[in-house]
Amino acid sequence: MKIVLSTLNAKYIHSSLALRYLKAYSQKEFPNIEICEYSINEPLMTILTDLYERKPDVIGFSCYIWNIEETIQLIQMLKKVRPDLTIVLGGPEVSYDISYWFNRIEEIDVIVYGEGEATFLHLLQTLQKGETLNQVQGIAYRTETGYYINPPRPKLDLNQIPSPYQDEEDLASLRDKIVYFEASRGCPFSCAYCLSSVETGVRYFAIDRVKEDLFRLIQHGVKTIKFVDRTFNLNKKYAMEIFQFLIENHQGTVFQFEITADIMKEDVLQYLVDHAPKGVFRFEIGIQSTNDYTNALVNRKQNFKKLSQTVLKIKESGKIDQHLDLIAGLPKEDYASFRNTFNDVFALRPEELQLGFLKMLRGTKIWYEAEQYGYVYQDYAPYEILKNDDLPFDDVIRLKRVEDVLEKYWNGHRMDQTIEYLVDKEFSSPFDFFQEFGDYWTAKGWHRIGHQLETLFLRLLEFLQDRQTKHIDFIVSLMKFDYFLNFTHKPRKTWWEFAISKQKLNDIFKQLVQHPERFSAQFQMLGLSEKDLHKHTMVEILPYHLGDYFETGAMVKQDTLFLVYFNPPKEPIYFLKEV
């Protein structure tokens, strides 16, 4: 019996943890199981051809909201060219509302629901023997007369599941992928919008096994490992031991964790601040809303004051990047309330702030309560809301515009100093800047066309000029500063005309070579020749002394020489000196 496990990842750089678990659990009895991963961006005909030519008897697909529609099209084509093929679906997207899936997609033969390792092995054993499927717990299956849903399978002792990361050939292929990893399963919380709330209790893998698997991945040169544990820091002792192990053994691998910031213990936090290497850890923190009433309605307990203290202390350390999540469209959070939520969270200045929209996932409490709050949402994945009783579609549209420019201008970190100044000094609040700019962006039709780095600067400048923003010459100085610092190599072009003529630039370089100490001791230490300056630096005269602004916040009108030295792969070094 030829068995293929497959999925369509959201991006090429992603990898599937679920498929590797299934193969690891079943490969003693079925050693020839193949894993075939694709991405949703590949042509379905290409994927169809590849799977068909492998001549499988059974194909299992791992299904999520990001791939279910493409997977459906794929299995419909597979059944047309291979009617005898047994098609098995599993994963969170098909584990709930099973009747819907059987009624919608006649090509489905079997659905594995819930935890799949033992269930999938039992299914393969039963198929190989040619027996009926009525004794396989944890599946639903189609017959000539309809479909049947068998009782669920009890959860496994996690330590009975073999490691998904032992195959040497597979490990070599994961070096440049995002590798997903779990140290535990389950979630202690009951957030109404999250599928993790459906499974009660938290189970842990043995700590020694976790360390062995992590070290094996590190030794094979994996660059990024993303923990999928829903609340990694729930068990303080367990989390602390893994943090310590990774700090001692990371070898440059980057690790991402989902943490709950308001339950982070002070001693764990202090240990990370003191010992975490810069850039090795990355924290994802779901805040979703700061509206206490809304949080209560979705069974979410959150101490925002404690959360803020944790986030700010981590940020102050400068060692760990933080990605904070918001969800627009939660019950009883209207536009004005979400504006407050956004400003509350933006005040923490996270490295990334994701503005997401509520998705009505099958099986969640909020999905069952949709009518109670007047939810209208997409019929097909990702089931994103269109409106509810408190957030009309007009407001959803406006928040989409905020999301668009937030991603480009804050999360992209293309002009940090400029945006920081604008949201702090020129607009009523950060939200108001992103909203006003987002509205302008859409009105100009820019959301329909592409954009390069220079274009992003020019569009921001046009917006600021059209609204007659104050201190525009100072803002332009900040924009020029930010633009140069986007590059590791000397940029070939700019979005403005230089204030310095070629002759004046030559004179400046001669003076810098003859008297580097007059510029700064740090500049003198570089020992740059005139040729080096022409080849590796960019120079501009700014009308403000940005050094004073960065130190004191004062806008001092003073012509200033701004020089940036590009020495890849190192970060550029900048110098500011009064003319």
Side-chain angles (χ1 to χ4, degrees):
M1 187 167 68
K2 179 70 177 293
I3 304 150
V4 169
L5 290 168
S6 187
T7 195
L8 279 64
N9 295 315
K11 295 180 180 178
Y12 171 76
I13 60 169
H14 293 179
S15 62
S16 174
L17 175 59
L19 299 188
R20 288 170 172 81
Y21 269 129
L22 294 173
K23 179 178 179 178
Y25 198 84
S26 296
Q27 65 183 357
K28 280 190 177 179
E29 290 191 45
F30 300 91
N32 297 319
I33 293 177
E34 293 182 21
I35 289 179
C36 300
E37 294 182 87
Y38 311 94
S39 90
I40 58 174
N41 300 309
E42 294 181 61
L44 287 178
M45 185 58 71
T46 302
I47 300 172
L48 171 67
T49 301
D50 187 59
L51 290 173
Y52 176 82
E53 291 181 340
R54 293 175 186 273
K55 303 187 183 306
D57 300 298
V58 178
I59 294 186
F61 287 98
S62 188
C63 302
Y64 303 84
I65 58 171
W66 63 76
N67 70 13
I68 185 62
E69 295 305 320
E70 290 84 357
T71 302
I72 289 170
Q73 294 179 55
L74 182 59
I75 66 175
Q76 288 172 337
M77 289 192 290
L78 275 167
K79 275 291 190 179
K80 287 180 179 180
V81 297
R82 282 286 311 278
D84 59 324
L85 180 62
T86 299
I87 291 180
V88 182
L89 302 189
E93 179 57 16
V94 295
S95 285
Y96 306 93
D97 201 13
I98 290 172
S99 296
Y100 167 82
W101 295 112
F102 274 107
N103 290 328
R104 178 183 169 189
I105 310 161
E106 63 182 23
E107 291 80 8
I108 298 174
D109 294 305
V110 181
I111 288 177
V112 171
Y113 67 91
E115 196 168 74
E117 290 91 352
T119 299
F120 188 66
L121 174 58
H122 192 185
L123 172 64
L124 294 180
Q125 293 166 335
T126 306
L127 289 172
Q128 188 173 53
K129 294 174 184 176
E131 298 175 350
T132 61
L133 302 178
N134 61 350
Q135 296 302 310
V136 182
Q137 293 177 311
I139 70 165
Y141 63 99
R142 192 183 298 277
T143 68
E144 292 180 357
T145 59
Y147 60 88
Y148 296 89
I149 303 175
N150 291 347
R153 182 176 297 273
K155 292 183 175 64
L156 286 169
D157 175 350
L158 294 184
N159 296 301
Q160 294 177 1
I161 305 174
S163 166
Y165 296 121
Q166 296 192 67
D167 183 274
E168 288 293 325
E169 185 178 346
D170 185 44
L171 286 166
S173 73
L174 293 173
R175 190 168 294 128
D176 295 319
K177 303 273 190 177
I178 297 174
V179 173
Y180 294 88
F181 191 93
E182 62 178 0
S184 64
R185 290 183 183 178
C187 182
F189 304 112
S190 303
C191 303
Y193 49 81
C194 181
L195 276 175
S196 296
S197 65
V198 179
E199 180 182 346
T200 57
V202 180
R203 294 168 293 154
Y204 291 87
F205 288 92
I207 192 75
D208 289 341
R209 175 246 175 90
V210 169
K211 291 178 181 178
E212 288 173 10
D213 283 356
L214 286 169
F215 192 68
R216 190 179 303 116
L217 290 167
I218 292 168
Q219 289 290 85
H220 280 81
V222 170
K223 294 177 182 177
T224 304
I225 296 175
K226 183 174 181 178
F227 283 74
V228 296
D229 305 61
R230 303 311 297 174
T231 309
F232 181 80
N233 60 314
L234 177 66
N235 183 321
K236 171 190 164 181
K237 183 176 182 296
Y238 191 89
M240 187 70 162
E241 193 165 343
I242 294 176
F243 284 144
Q244 290 174 329
F245 177 79
L246 295 178
I247 286 171
E248 294 168 1
N249 295 280
H250 63 86
Q251 297 182 30
T253 300
V254 174
F255 305 90
Q256 181 169 323
F257 306 88
E258 294 184 33
I259 70 162
T260 302
D262 56 345
I263 66 168
M264 178 71 83
K265 301 300 183 184
E266 186 60 35
D267 55 338
V268 177
L269 181 58
Q270 191 61 51
Y271 174 80
L272 292 171
V273 167
D274 292 340
H275 299 285
K278 181 177 173 59
V280 167
F281 291 159
R282 187 171 185 268
F283 287 167
E284 182 174 340
I285 301 169
I287 298 178
Q288 324 312 6
S289 174
T290 60
N291 182 318
D292 291 338
Y293 182 49
T294 290
N295 283 330
L297 290 174
V298 295
N299 304 328
R300 184 173 180 81
K301 296 179 181 179
Q302 182 169 266
N303 183 335
F304 186 67
K305 181 179 179 181
K306 176 65 167 62
L307 182 154
S308 299
Q309 292 169 348
T310 299
V311 169
L312 289 172
K313 185 166 184 176
I314 292 171
K315 183 173 180 62
E316 186 179 337
S317 76
K319 294 181 174 181
I320 301 172
D321 282 354
Q322 297 176 99
H323 171 115
L324 307 188
D325 289 329
L326 302 179
I327 297 179
L330 292 172
K332 299 303 176 183
E333 177 143 76
D334 60 12
Y335 180 86
S337 171
F338 188 79
R339 176 182 180 273
N340 292 336
T341 283
F342 184 99
N343 286 329
D344 287 342
V345 177
F346 194 88
L348 304 177
R349 297 300 192 268
E351 283 72 25
E352 289 186 16
L353 176 59
Q354 179 175 320
L355 196 175
F357 291 79
L358 180 64
K359 295 171 177 59
M360 306 297 283
L361 302 179
R362 296 176 184 279
T364 59
K365 183 172 180 287
I366 198 71
W367 179 65
Y368 288 109
E369 296 176 345
E371 189 175 341
Q372 178 181 340
Y373 300 107
Y375 278 110
V376 176
Y377 56 95
Q378 299 168 352
D379 291 333
Y380 300 106
Y383 316 112
E384 197 168 276
I385 69 153
L386 301 173
K387 64 176 183 176
N388 64 25
D389 288 342
D390 297 283
L391 196 71
F393 189 53
D394 286 336
D395 288 343
V396 171
I397 291 171
R398 296 197 70 201
L399 292 177
K400 286 283 185 182
R401 297 171 188 164
V402 173
E403 177 194 25
D404 188 22
V405 293
L406 176 72
E407 190 65 28
K408 291 180 176 70
Y409 285 86
W410 181 258
N411 293 341
H413 292 287
R414 296 176 173 98
M415 49 187 91
D416 287 351
Q417 296 294 341
T418 305
I419 302 305
E420 181 63 43
Y421 171 80
L422 291 172
V423 300
D424 189 48
K425 304 295 185 183
E426 298 293 345
F427 288 80
S428 300
S429 76
F431 180 89
D432 296 318
F433 162 71
F434 290 108
Q435 184 67 83
E436 189 176 335
F437 189 21
D439 292 344
Y440 186 88
W441 186 280
T442 300
K444 285 288 184 178
W446 293 336
H447 61 300
R448 298 178 180 273
I449 56 180
H451 44 267
Q452 296 179 327
L453 180 63
E454 302 83 38
T455 314
L456 291 174
F457 280 81
L458 289 169
R459 288 174 180 170
L460 176 61
L461 181 59
E462 181 180 333
F463 162 64
L464 296 172
Q465 289 172 333
D466 276 6
R467 69 185 295 275
Q468 299 180 332
T469 306
K470 297 177 181 178
H471 308 114
I472 198 71
D473 54 344
F474 178 75
I475 296 169
V476 169
S477 296
L478 288 173
M479 292 173 70
K480 291 177 179 179
F481 176 88
D482 281 330
Y483 181 77
F484 281 157
L485 295 184
N486 272 277
F487 299 90
T488 52
H489 292 79
K490 179 179 177 177
R492 295 182 178 180
K493 58 181 178 178
T494 63
W495 48 271
W496 72 92
E497 292 186 14
F498 285 107
I500 306 175
S501 67
K502 288 186 178 180
Q503 182 57 52
K504 187 175 181 181
L505 182 62
N506 289 333
D507 293 341
I508 290 172
F509 283 166
K510 283 183 171 60
Q511 293 176 30
L512 289 174
V513 170
Q514 292 170 4
H515 303 286
E517 74 284 354
R518 294 179 183 176
F519 202 44
S520 77
Q522 183 186 14
F523 179 78
Q524 184 180 18
M525 289 176 63
L526 294 176
L528 301 179
S529 67
E530 193 169 338
K531 183 179 178 180
D532 292 331
L533 290 170
H534 279 285
K535 188 175 181 179
H536 297 296
T537 69
M538 294 292 282
V539 178
E540 182 60 295
I541 300 293
L542 303 178
Y544 285 84
H545 197 313
L546 294 185
D548 284 347
Y549 171 72
F550 295 148
E551 289 181 12
T552 68
M555 287 190 291
V556 178
K557 191 87 170 175
Q558 170 68 58
D559 283 353
T560 302
L561 183 67
F562 172 43
L563 182 147
V564 183
Y565 172 54
F566 299 93
N567 184 26
K570 298 178 181 178
E571 294 292 316
I573 304 171
Y574 73 87
F575 302 90
L576 295 163
K577 180 71 173 177
E578 295 177 9
V579 176

